[in-house]
């Protein structure tokens, strides 16, 4: 269980100059309703209150949105409300042009990683009551913004694809004899965490190195490779091939163990640990030839 | 992205040596600090004192090795840091060359100094 | 991609308030590493005065050779002493955090990576403070 | 215009499997999906994949269990194909690297599941669907199959002969969500719809926001009938604010349901005196709703599921993930307070009518997965039977579309001489088109154009016009309003409880929604990632699908499987051993029935009392 999600943030209301950006007309209407409270409320007292959202807005085509701004929304709080619920409410009730990706609402599709109060989080997995107000919601940093909270994920997908993310076994036995490959429960346990990745991109966005070096494979892709490299069902040769991909210049060595990825991963995957293990594997492999 | 496969420059060796030198440095650097700031105080340093220590071949060799590892560790660290920030192509080659020359010079100069201290030059 | 908005580098440094332990550790380590390598170059430069000193037996015996006087002179400066304390702090942090990183590399105690960073900071502070008397004895103003 | 041999619409489990199969059969395949493949809702499935793998188990047992579970509304050829092919397909997934849970000897684990006579549910932790989805996507990457992700398919390009059985599907029209460009995708051999469930027709569902029944609606308007749409499975324990599923495991371990008066209503109000909380899904769901309707619900909305008495140790040991779900999605700590739960729409047994090869009555138009109805689930789906359906029938559809010979199907599709027409039921309103727009499924050319490209181009034009109209309109109703109204009507009247009066009321509201939809407009003026536009189009599809669900629920006056009717609370085999089919006839739904096929390869499945 990710403790970082449950802990209330103790962050001051940001003084970002951009933040005083124009209120959207819709939000103003709301404010006219007499619900202006800029100060953070205690979670227990939220019931029946409104939540103050500050949402990043940008649209390359629409005048007035070309220059990024923050819009304020005040949405009525309900018990159990998540960040995703709150932006959906804002969209459906106040401004239908508010754009973000979302689908499953249960932390499996990985569509809705946002930058919430200064941290990469899944909107659907973050309780509003755990956050300081106003809740600042932005698109993932280090990815280009397509519109509002939607970022361009292509680079992330490219990196995922670079590590040859598919099972490779040359001598797969014929399928029709209905015999599965054997795998020990221990080995399955070893790759368990790594197999949970939902491609949300939070880790990549949080990693400073990935931000600086566009070619760095990044924690998610390395973790994906880990899943295969550590799976005993794939032979030694393929494992070596995988390590060769990982130990290229922009591979595992780029990781400077900043741990941000591990901290933000909504699936609690020990990313840094996996990357470090692969570094050791790669060194071990190379030492053999010395 | 396929062209990446051809440009293998495994960074493993550098990474590994950085750790090995670090492990070595912990010991020597602690020793160095302790000896020259706590046992002998820095302000009391004289050429005679230095010379006396350097006469000991073990100490001398340790110091030279210290110099070499520290230089490698430091320069390699700087190089990696720059590469991590996205240094590419010719620039990268130039930086590497400059760093190599600087460290060679540093080690040469340092060894020369150590030898004079030992009174061998 | 049709058009998109790249928020650029401001994001990285503008957001320093949001950095987490591991990122600070990384920044400090880098910073201290660079100071140390810088110092190593200076250090060798200073020590190079021994080349001038060597051979002049009389001066050496009187402790008036270039090497001894230079070092002594420098050590006599309060500023240099302060810088030395700073250097110690830098070195100690780099060592302690370096040990932390080595542990991380070996896969030991990764869950406690933030705690071990704070511990490095606290220890560095403690050691530095404790060493102040040693460093400041006999300083000429 | 893009051109491929086979176009697969949707990249969930069914779509991915179809694409791989078509690719292996040598076709040039492309997938077009409104979500990136790994975002598909297949990823949410937890329980497992039923397959008779072990010694002592047998596909015939699986087929029997499925038939019984379906309340004898499954078609035997389909059910038997599922049971026969599931083992091979499951093992195939294993060979593709799917991380199944393992036994000590290294074989894949299987566990018992409701309604199964043998522990044959193969699983990968509590995230079987996630692994299935990712494993297959990996194979798609490996094969280099072209994926157009975040392309929303708006329409099919189908010829418009008056008899749907003579029509032919030549491709799809899609728009690129990121840029707003509308393009035609020509399919030389076939189009496979794999667009998933229609859960968003209800306001409370375990389905994703993207489960809007687009495939259903497109096929329906192109002339392929929708089958057994009234059969919707409701899960009794979903979290009220999000619909996230709380697994049956909690009740299995001894979790108790309470109403707002603290009564253990399953017993105290006599819903299930023997099995209490562990009665079957539909019984529990109905009980919960009765409590709420009679004013004994908490906050007038839900009931409490309490597991505190199990003790922290046992909870942490067996139900830890439940604690996380309750905490993350409802803000409730299951160790110190009871969890709120209510019934939620979970699965649609019905769908686009197809045969065992996945083909609809429209030539070249296929459907697979939850959007299709072969029918294997009949009146009620057994847990763990949807995922094997994806891989078994996804594969068949893909292969057949790519030209592989799979033999003559036994199941017939479309209107034919074997169907019986609906006669009696009187409808409260005129269902179907309300002069909405020009986007019926078939090309409006009076049947003159035979050439595929021409049809496709005209469809692209229509789609562009449609989008322009929606975008240019300055004022009107917003889709969110209509959608909310529709969902509420469905949940109020076509939910777990269905009365003739209620369903009729729902049909009236659906009609209102249709009328309001004529006035719909898109507020967001941007072409870039316009989700407002996309949802507006989806809402239209939801209206069509919701209407078929309500129509089905109205005509089927019996209680079978998941479908309960107040007026006739018994299973009526004499009159109702038949599928409900609804087809879009020039914008007006027509209803007819096709008898269930109960004759299997070796035996005939005799309807028996469904008791466990
Ligand atoms: C919470 C939950 C748990 C479940 N657990 C189990 C279980 O344990 N065992 C079991 O057997 N079954 C289970 N099911 C049922 C099963 O998961 C689903 O029936 C199945 O995953 C549906 O798969 P699919 O491929 O048909 O559709 P989906 O996975 O929903 O995929 C639909 C695809 O179509 C695309 N699409 C939709 N509309 C369009 C359009 N207009 N244009 C382009 N693309 C479009 C989407 O992008 C998506 O890629 C569960 C379901 C839920 C909700
Ligand atoms: C004279 C002594 C030293 C110098 C000049 C020095 C210098 C440096 C420099 C410049 C870096 C690169 C920082 C970066 O990449 O951002 C570095 C990295 C490192 N140093 Fe040192 N260092 C010294 C001593 C030590 C010691 C004693 C340790 C002991 C543990 C140590 C451990 C490390 C480690 C582990 C790294 C790698 C960090 C990483 O990039 O992941 N260093 N050092
Ligand atoms: S590793 Fe974690 S943070 Fe990164 S993409 Fe996967 S789930 Fe998201
Ligand atoms: S944040 Fe980046 S530096 Fe490494 S530990 Fe994670 S990949
Ligand atoms: S909506 Fe799917 S992960 Fe949040």
């Amino acid at each position: 269980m990710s403790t970082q999600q449950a802990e209330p943030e103790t962050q001051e209301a940001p003084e970002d100059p951009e933040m005083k950006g124009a209120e959207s007309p819709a939000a103003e209407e709301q404010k006219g309703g007499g619900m202006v409270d800029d100060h953070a409320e205690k979670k227990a007292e939220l019931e029946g209150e409104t939540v103050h959202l500050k949402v990043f807005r940008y649209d390359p085509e629409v005048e007035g949105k070309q220059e990024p701004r923050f819009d304020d929304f005040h949405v009525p709080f309900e018990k159990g409300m998540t960040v995703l619920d709150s932006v959906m409410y804002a969209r459906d009730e106040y401004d239908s042009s508010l754009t973000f990706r979302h689908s499953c609402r249960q932390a499996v599709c990985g569509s809705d990683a946002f930058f919430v109060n200064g941290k990469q989080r899944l909107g659907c997995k973050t309780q509003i009551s755990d956050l300081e107000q106003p809740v600042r919601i932005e698109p993932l940093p280090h990815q280009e913004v397509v519109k509002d909270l939607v970022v361009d994920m292509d680079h992330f997908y490219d990196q995922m694809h670079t590590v040859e993310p598919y099972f490779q076994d040359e001598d797969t036995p014929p399928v029709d004899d209905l015999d599965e490959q054997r795998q020990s429960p221990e080995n399955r346990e070893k790759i368990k965490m790594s197999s949970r990745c939902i491609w949300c991109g939070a880790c990549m966005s949080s990693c400073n190195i990935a931000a600086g070096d566009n070619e760095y494979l990044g924690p998610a892709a390395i973790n994906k490779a880990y899943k295969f490299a550590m799976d005993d069902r794939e032979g030694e040769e393929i494992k070596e091939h995988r390590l060769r991909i990982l130990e290229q210049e922009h591979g595992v060595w780029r990781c400077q163990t900043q741990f941000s990825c591990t901290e933000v991963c909504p699936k609690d995957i020990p990313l840094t640990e996996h990357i470090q293990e692969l570094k050791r594997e790669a060194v071990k492999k190379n030492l053999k030839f010395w | 992205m396929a062209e990446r496969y051809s440009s293998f420059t495994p960074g493993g060796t550098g990474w590994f040596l950085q750790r090995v030198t670090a492990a070595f440095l912990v010991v020597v650097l602690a020793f160095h600090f302790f000896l020259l700031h706590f046992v002998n105080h820095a302000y009391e340093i004289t050429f005679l004192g230095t010379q006396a220590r350097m006469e000991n071949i073990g100490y001398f060799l340790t110091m030279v090795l210290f110099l070499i590892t520290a230089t490698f560790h430091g320069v390699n660290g700087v190089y990696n840091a720059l590469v991590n920030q996205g240094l590419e192509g010719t620039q990268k080659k130039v930086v590497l060359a400059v760093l190599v020359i600087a460290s060679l010079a540093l080690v040469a100069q340092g060894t020369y100094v150590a030898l004079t201290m030992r009174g061998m030059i | 991609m049709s058009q998109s908005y790249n928020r650029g580098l401001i994001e990285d440094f503008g957001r320093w308030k949001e950095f987490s332990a591991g990122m600070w550790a990384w920044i400090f380590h880098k910073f201290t590493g660079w100071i140390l390598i810088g110092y190593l170059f200076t250090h060798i430069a200073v020590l190079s005065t021994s080349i001038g000193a060597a051979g002049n037996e009389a001066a050496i015996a009187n402790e008036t050779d270039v090497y001894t006087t230079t070092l002594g002179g420098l050590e006599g400066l309060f500023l240099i002493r302060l810088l030395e304390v700073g250097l110690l702090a830098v070195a100690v942090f780099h060592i302690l955090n370096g040990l932390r990183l080595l542990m991380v590399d070996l896969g030991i105690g990764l869950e406690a990576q933030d705690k071990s960073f704070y511990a490095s900071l606290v220890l560095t502070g403690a050691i530095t403070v404790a060493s102040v008397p040693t460093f400041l004895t006999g300083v000429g103003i | 215009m893009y051109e491929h041999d086979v176009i697969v619409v949707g990249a969930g489990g069914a779509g991915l499997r179809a694409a791989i199969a078509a690719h292996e059969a040598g076709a040039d395949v492309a997938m077009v999906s409104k979500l990136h493949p790994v975002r598909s809702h297949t990823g949410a499935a937890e329980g497992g994949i039923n397959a008779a793998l072990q010694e002592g188990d047998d596909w015939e047992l699986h087929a029997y269990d499925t038939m019984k579970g379906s309340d004898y509304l499954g078609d035997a050829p389909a059910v038997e194909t599922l049971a026969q092919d599931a083992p091979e397909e499951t093992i195939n997934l294993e060979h593709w690297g799917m991380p199944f849970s393992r036994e000590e000897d290294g074989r894949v684990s299987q566990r018992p599941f409701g309604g199964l006579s043998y522990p044959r549910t193969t699983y990968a932790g509590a995230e079987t669907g996630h692994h299935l989805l990712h494993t297959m996507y990996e194979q798609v990457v490996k094969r280099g199959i072209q994926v157009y992700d975040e392309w929303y398919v708006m329409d099919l390009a189908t010829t418009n002969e008056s008899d749907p059985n003579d029509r032919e599907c030549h491709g799809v029209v899609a728009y690129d969500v990121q840029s707003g460009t509308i393009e035609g995708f020509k399919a030389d051999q076939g189009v496979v719809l794999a667009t998933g469930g229609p859960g968003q027709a209800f306001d409370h569902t375990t389905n994703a926001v993207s489960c809007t029944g687009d495939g259903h609606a497109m096929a329906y308007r192109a002339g392929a009938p929708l089958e057994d749409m009234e059969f919707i499975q409701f899960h009794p324990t979903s979290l009220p604010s999000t619909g996230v599923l709380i697994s049956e495991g909690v009740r299995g371990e001894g979790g108790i349901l309470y109403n707002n008066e603290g009564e253990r209503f399953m017993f105290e109000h006599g819903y299930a005196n023997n099995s209490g909380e562990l009665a079957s899904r539909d019984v529990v769901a109905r009980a919960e709703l009765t409590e709420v309707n009679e004013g004994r619900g908490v906050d007038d909305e839900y009931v409490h599921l309490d597991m505190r008495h199990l003790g922290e140790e046992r909870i942490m040991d067996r139900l830890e993930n439940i604690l996380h779900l309750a905490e993350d999605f409802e803000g409730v700590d299951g160790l110190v307070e009871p969890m709120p739960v209510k019934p939620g729409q979970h699965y649609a047994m019905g769908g686009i009518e197809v045969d065992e090869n996945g083909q609809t009555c429209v030539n070249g138009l296929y459907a697979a997965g939850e959007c299709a109805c072969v029918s294997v689930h009949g009146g009620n789906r057994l847990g763990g039977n949807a995922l094997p359906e994806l891989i078994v029938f996804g594969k068949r559809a893909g292969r057949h579309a790519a030209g592989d010979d799979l033999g003559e199907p036994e199941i017939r599709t479309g209107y034919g001489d074997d169907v019986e027409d609906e006669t009696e039921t009187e409808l409260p309103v005129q269902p179907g088109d309300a002069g909405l727009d020009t986007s019926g499924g078939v090309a409006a050319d009076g049947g003159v154009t035979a050439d595929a490209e021409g049809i496709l181009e005209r469809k692209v034009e229509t789609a562009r016009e449609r989008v322009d109209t929606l975008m240019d309109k300055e004022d009107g109703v917003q889709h969110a309003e209509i959608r909310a109204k529709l969902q509420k009507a469905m949940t109020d009247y076509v939910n777990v409880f269905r009365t003739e009066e209620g369903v009729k009321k729902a049909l009236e509201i659906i009609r209102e929604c249709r009328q309001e939809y004529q006035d719909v407009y898109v507020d967001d003026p941007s072409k870039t990632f316009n989700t407002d536009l996309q949802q507006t189009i989806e809402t239209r599809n939801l209206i069509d699908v919701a209407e078929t669900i309500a129509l089905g629920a109205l005509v089927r006056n019996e209680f079978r499987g998941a479908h309960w009717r107040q007026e006739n609370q018994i299973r009526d085999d004499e009159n109702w051993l038949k599928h409900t089919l609804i087809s879009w006839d020039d914008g007006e739904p027509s209803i007819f029935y096709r008898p269930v096929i109960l004759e299997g390869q070796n035996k005939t499945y005799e309807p028996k009392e469904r008791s466990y």
Side-chain angles (χ1 to χ4, degrees), chain A residues 84 101-113 122-125 198:
Chain A
L84 179 63
R101 288 193 183 94
H102 65 303
S103 181
C104 69
R105 306 160 302 142
Q106 54 194 71
V108 297
C109 76
S111 311
D112 63 338
L122 275 191
C124 61
K125 201 182 175 229
I198 54 172

Side-chain angles (χ1 to χ4, degrees), chain A residues 61 101 105 109 147 181 188, chain D residues 99 150 207 242 524 528:
Chain A
E61 273 181 58
R101 288 193 183 94
R105 306 160 302 142
C109 76
K147 178 175 171 185
Q181 310 166 77
R188 145 86 187 158
Chain D
E150 295 189 333
N207 282 193
T242 47
D524 188 348
T528 310

Side-chain angles (χ1 to χ4, degrees), chain D residues 102-409:
Chain D
R102 299 282 168 165
E103 291 302 309
E104 279 309 319
D105 65 0
R107 309 196 75 127
V108 297
S109 302
Q110 294 198 297
R111 62 181 163 206
F113 233 55
L116 298 184
S117 55
Y118 200 91
R120 69 168 76 90
T121 306
T122 329
Y123 62 99
E127 56 246 347
T128 314
H130 165 82
H131 292 310
L132 178 122
L133 181 68
H134 283 257
T135 303
M136 286 206 282
Y137 177 60
E138 287 160 11
Q139 293 300 314
V140 162
V141 173
K142 180 177 185 178
R143 289 164 172 74
I145 294 171
Q146 170 106 43
V147 180
Y148 299 90
D149 70 308
E150 295 189 333
W151 276 82
Y152 179 86
V153 175
M154 295 176 66
D155 216 341
L156 302 172
T158 312
T159 55
N160 79 336
E161 288 80 1
S162 59
D163 183 353
N165 293 343
D166 298 335
R167 289 181 192 161
E168 185 135 11
C169 181
H170 289 298
V172 303
V173 178
Y175 95 88
D176 179 3
V177 182
Q178 279 216 0
S179 71
T181 332
I182 297 174
E183 287 289 351
F185 288 74
K186 185 160 167 280
D188 295 332
Q189 297 187 24
V191 171
V192 182
L193 294 171
T195 52
Q200 288 295 323
F202 293 81
D203 76 357
H204 193 73
T205 169
T206 63
N207 282 193
V209 180
S210 61
C211 296
T212 49
D214 298 339
H216 293 81
M218 288 186 288
Y220 178 48
R221 294 195 297 256
L226 297 185
E227 179 176 352
D228 292 338
M229 291 301 286
E230 63 272 25
F231 292 100
I232 301 282
Q233 187 170 72
F234 295 90
H235 199 287
T237 53
S238 65
L239 294 173
S241 58
T242 47
V244 169
L245 191 75
I246 295 293
S247 118
E248 226 150 281
V250 178
R251 282 170 292 140
E253 292 293 331
I256 296 176
L257 292 167
Y258 292 109
N259 61 16
N260 70 352
E261 284 155 20
E263 294 170 312
R264 190 173 179 183
F265 59 86
M266 288 307 294
F267 288 106
E268 289 182 40
H269 289 267
Y271 297 107
N273 287 324
N274 295 321
S275 27
E277 282 81 8
L278 284 173
S280 73
R281 283 183 187 177
D282 49 332
V283 174
V284 180
R286 278 192 293 274
E288 289 175 0
L289 271 192
T290 310
E291 289 301 300
V292 174
N293 291 346
E294 292 178 0
R296 291 189 299 274
V298 186
D299 289 346
D300 273 336
E301 193 196 349
Y302 49 84
V303 296
H304 275 144
L305 174 60
D306 198 346
M307 60 176 186
R308 289 173 297 179
H309 58 283
L310 301 177
E312 184 168 345
E313 202 180 312
R314 178 136 164 231
I315 294 176
M316 289 308 282
D317 183 34
R318 312 211 181 150
L319 300 168
E320 197 193 334
N321 73 320
I322 302 295
L323 284 181
H324 299 330
L325 292 177
E327 172 74 41
D328 293 341
F329 302 111
E330 199 67 44
V332 164
D333 182 349
L335 287 176
V336 301
E337 49 195 323
M339 299 174 290
V341 293
K342 70 180 205 183
Q345 190 280 352
H346 184 52
Y347 185 85
M349 271 70 77
I352 306 163
E353 189 202 34
V354 292
D355 60 28
E356 308 95 292
N357 300 335
Q359 196 164 18
T360 66
C361 67
V362 175
N363 244 321
L365 181 62
Y366 296 78
E370 192 171 336
C371 71
C373 180
V374 218
S375 99
V376 287
H377 309 303
N380 177 49
R381 173 183 73 98
L382 293 182
N385 255 357
L387 297 181
E389 183 196 359
L390 305 183
I391 49 181
V392 168
F393 292 101
K395 178 179 177 181
R396 292 180 72 91
R399 284 183 59 191
H400 198 268
D404 268 10
D405 183 10
L406 300 178
E408 265 309 295

